Amino acid sequence: MLTIYNSLTRTKEPLTPIVPGKIQLYVCGMTVYDYAHVGHARVMVVFDTVVRYLRARGFDVTYVRNITDIDDKIIKRAAENDESVDTLTERFIRAMREDEVALGLGAPDAEPRATRHLAEIIAMIEALVGRGYAYPAPNGDVYYRVRKFGHYGALSGKSIDELRVGARVEVGEAKEDPLDFALWKAAKPGEPAWHSPWGPGRPGWHIECSAMSTACLGEHFDIHGGGMDLKFPHHENEIAQSEGATGHKFVNLWMHVGFVRVNEEKMSKSLGNFFTIREVLKQYSAEELRYFILASHYRSPLDYTDENLKNARAALTGFYLALREAPAGGDVDPAAAERFYSAMDDDFNTPKAIAELAGLATALNRARQEGRHEEATELGATLRGLGAMIGLLRDSPEDYLKGAPATRGGLDDEAIQAMIDRRTAARKNRDWAESDRIRDELKRLGVILEDSAQGTTWRRG
């Protein structure tokens, strides 16, 4: 039985689809005003892995991930750049999709944009006003009455009284209560605006996801996910809005991905301590970044360091060395598969699943060395098949081990082969000093040579 840790109930719960065999999943995506960083990559990779695994286990998954293309940060950045909001957001949507392709991620089934769901947003606000959960203010804003929603704080574990301490009404706001939050913001000079029953303005950030998720998946769906930083207030507010508007349960299971940390601080744009996906992919392959992310449980903090990424490279090198010599073909070993499924079925425990893969690689090396070819064939097929279920070990061993010069060293394949040819000639002439010099030079440049009776092969170290 597959269980998932539900952030709302703080317990692991069985995944029981609303419609048998079908899973509806909504994930809060990017606010597109800058390049995606490793924190965003973690959320993308985690839910890409969740979707891959659920589909591999036979579920019909509908995966929706939104784009926030209008909010305060976007408006501020566009003004700083002296460009339109549309120009800014289109540029960074293109960049986000380039990063997704570079990471080898599967595309969501739907990718709603806030500015294309204004009708649904306005309709939901009207429903909240009609049910007494929201009120138009004299300044043209519309606010949500937090105290009206009896379960507010259930997701974050915060009490109304705790939240009341420190709550403030900013200049220009017209709230009944400092805890209330904006559903609709009246237009300000120079800002994008849309018509509404309350005058020209734009939606608040929180209502966007409530409207987009229900527009794509209905008023009640299976799983809602996102980064840990969204638990409060964003997801707390989504629950209040959605359930206030419909009168029934919004989501069955809430999944939250832990922070990526740099020097024990959360990686974020506001702190200025972030590394963009495209910067990281200049030094490490997409699979190495994916392995680095999956080597820790998705709910745990993840420390971003070069050492941890190098460890990911070393681990993947070991897997691909095992697979390079494995015979092609074979069937997946049912016993090994069950151990792997057991790990993944326990709240997507990828570190334990990877440990099972490592055990298979060790067994594969032993079987091959001992001449048990049939067993090696089955173990190789099992390692490839199970790894692919979480998006790993999909490259050919040669492609991975030779790697890309951009991430593994400056020499291209032709230059390496030319040096190997010179070394081969030196060995034929019994010029061992020159042979060793070339081997050492290649090693210094990150290229490892492996001699065998069949000749010399190479890989990037």
Side-chain angles (χ1 to χ4, degrees):
M1 179 182 293
L2 197 156
T3 62
I4 298 175
Y5 182 86
N6 187 351
S7 298
L8 181 63
T9 61
R10 297 166 186 78
T11 59
K12 290 180 185 178
E13 298 180 7
L15 176 60
T16 307
I18 296 168
V19 177
K22 296 181 181 292
I23 299 292
Q24 293 180 307
L25 167 65
Y26 181 89
V27 175
C28 285
M30 279 190 60
T31 300
V32 283
Y33 70 100
D34 206 339
Y35 293 109
H37 59 59
V38 176
H40 300 123
R42 188 181 194 192
V43 174
M44 292 176 182
V45 167
V46 164
F47 286 105
D48 180 75
T49 303
V50 166
V51 171
R52 285 178 188 276
Y53 182 70
L54 291 175
R55 286 175 175 160
R57 295 290 270 155
F59 290 102
D60 178 5
V61 180
T62 302
Y63 175 29
V64 178
R65 190 185 66 217
N66 80 292
I67 295 173
T68 296
D69 61 350
I70 185 66
D71 88 329
D72 294 342
K73 292 177 182 177
I74 290 171
I75 292 170
K76 182 174 183 290
R77 181 62 59 85
E80 291 170 351
N81 292 354
D82 193 24
E83 63 182 327
S84 72
V85 163
D86 284 348
T87 300
L88 176 81
T89 56
E90 288 299 329
R91 183 168 76 256
F92 285 114
I93 288 170
R94 286 195 302 273
M96 177 191 73
R97 288 181 173 148
E98 290 166 0
D99 289 340
E100 290 169 4
V101 170
L103 285 171
L105 304 179
D109 297 297
E111 201 169 37
R113 294 169 58 165
T115 58
R116 297 177 182 177
H117 285 270
L118 267 296
E120 293 91 339
I121 290 169
I122 289 169
M124 182 170 276
I125 296 172
E126 288 182 307
L128 288 166
V129 171
R131 292 171 63 89
Y133 284 95
Y135 57 95
N139 65 352
D141 292 347
V142 181
Y143 294 101
Y144 187 95
R145 285 190 176 96
V146 167
R147 291 184 184 274
K148 170 79 172 176
F149 187 69
H151 302 297
Y152 196 84
L155 180 65
S156 59
K158 299 178 184 292
S159 70
I160 290 287
D161 291 337
E162 177 187 356
L163 292 169
R164 182 66 176 79
V165 176
R168 297 286 184 270
V169 177
E170 301 295 332
V171 174
E173 293 182 326
K175 299 177 180 180
E176 295 176 352
D177 188 309
L179 290 177
D180 297 347
F181 59 87
L183 301 172
W184 187 261
K185 298 183 177 185
K188 294 178 183 177
E191 290 188 351
W194 290 265
H195 294 293
S196 81
W198 317 283
R202 60 185 173 87
W205 174 38
H206 310 299
I207 194 67
E208 293 174 355
C209 277
S210 284
M212 286 187 284
S213 62
T214 54
C216 293
L217 298 175
E219 295 178 349
H220 180 208
F221 55 91
D222 299 290
I223 305 172
H224 194 314
M228 194 74 74
D229 55 326
L230 300 182
K231 185 185 288 188
F232 184 86
H234 186 54
H235 290 162
E236 194 79 73
N237 290 352
E238 275 194 68
I239 293 171
Q241 293 163 160
S242 302
E243 296 188 2
T246 66
H248 56 71
K249 189 172 185 175
F250 177 36
V251 172
N252 283 356
L253 290 160
W254 287 85
M255 293 179 64
H256 289 97
V257 177
F259 296 127
V260 176
R261 302 187 303 191
V262 178
N263 296 325
E264 298 188 353
E265 283 191 310
K266 171 197 166 190
M267 182 183 289
S268 71
K269 289 173 180 169
S270 61
L271 293 174
N273 64 346
F274 64 94
F275 297 87
T276 66
I277 293 171
R278 48 194 57 203
E279 287 172 335
V280 175
L281 293 183
K282 290 176 182 177
Q283 295 180 276
Y284 299 94
S285 73
E287 188 173 10
E288 288 160 355
L289 180 55
R290 187 185 191 96
Y291 185 100
F292 159 70
I293 289 168
L294 298 183
S296 295
H297 192 273
Y298 77 87
R299 288 190 283 117
S300 302
L302 178 62
D303 292 317
Y304 180 86
T305 66
D306 274 334
E307 181 182 2
N308 285 341
L309 280 159
K310 287 175 181 175
N311 289 340
R313 173 174 288 171
L316 282 170
T317 297
F319 282 123
Y320 278 113
L321 284 171
L323 287 171
R324 184 169 67 176
E325 303 299 329
D331 297 320
V332 172
D333 173 44
E338 280 305 313
R339 292 193 299 271
F340 180 87
Y341 299 154
S342 177
M344 289 298 292
D345 286 351
D346 182 13
D347 192 29
F348 306 105
N349 191 333
T350 52
K352 189 173 180 181
I354 288 172
E356 293 295 338
L357 298 181
L360 285 168
T362 299
L364 169 57
N365 285 329
R366 187 181 303 116
R368 191 181 63 249
Q369 290 163 4
E370 295 174 358
R372 291 178 276 119
H373 300 297
E374 186 175 335
E375 183 180 346
T377 299
E378 182 180 71
L379 287 167
T382 303
L383 182 55
R384 288 188 187 96
L386 297 180
M389 291 179 75
I390 56 174
L392 297 175
L393 308 180
R394 293 180 292 160
D395 274 352
S396 76
E398 285 303 312
D399 286 346
Y400 177 80
L401 293 169
K402 292 187 175 180
T407 60
R408 296 283 200 110
L411 288 181
D412 60 24
D413 293 7
E414 290 75 15
I416 293 169
Q417 190 59 52
M419 291 181 72
I420 292 173
D421 290 344
R422 290 202 302 273
R423 178 174 178 266
T424 300
R427 284 161 63 86
K428 284 181 179 178
N429 294 328
R430 309 180 75 82
D431 187 349
W432 309 120
E434 177 65 3
S435 171
D436 291 345
R437 187 196 68 75
I438 294 172
R439 174 190 281 274
D440 292 344
E441 176 67 8
L442 285 168
K443 185 175 182 181
R444 186 183 67 79
L445 295 170
V447 178
I448 308 300
L449 301 186
E450 295 168 346
D451 296 320
S452 71
Q454 288 73 41
T456 299
T457 59
W458 65 271
R459 62 181 174 86
R460 298 186 191 272

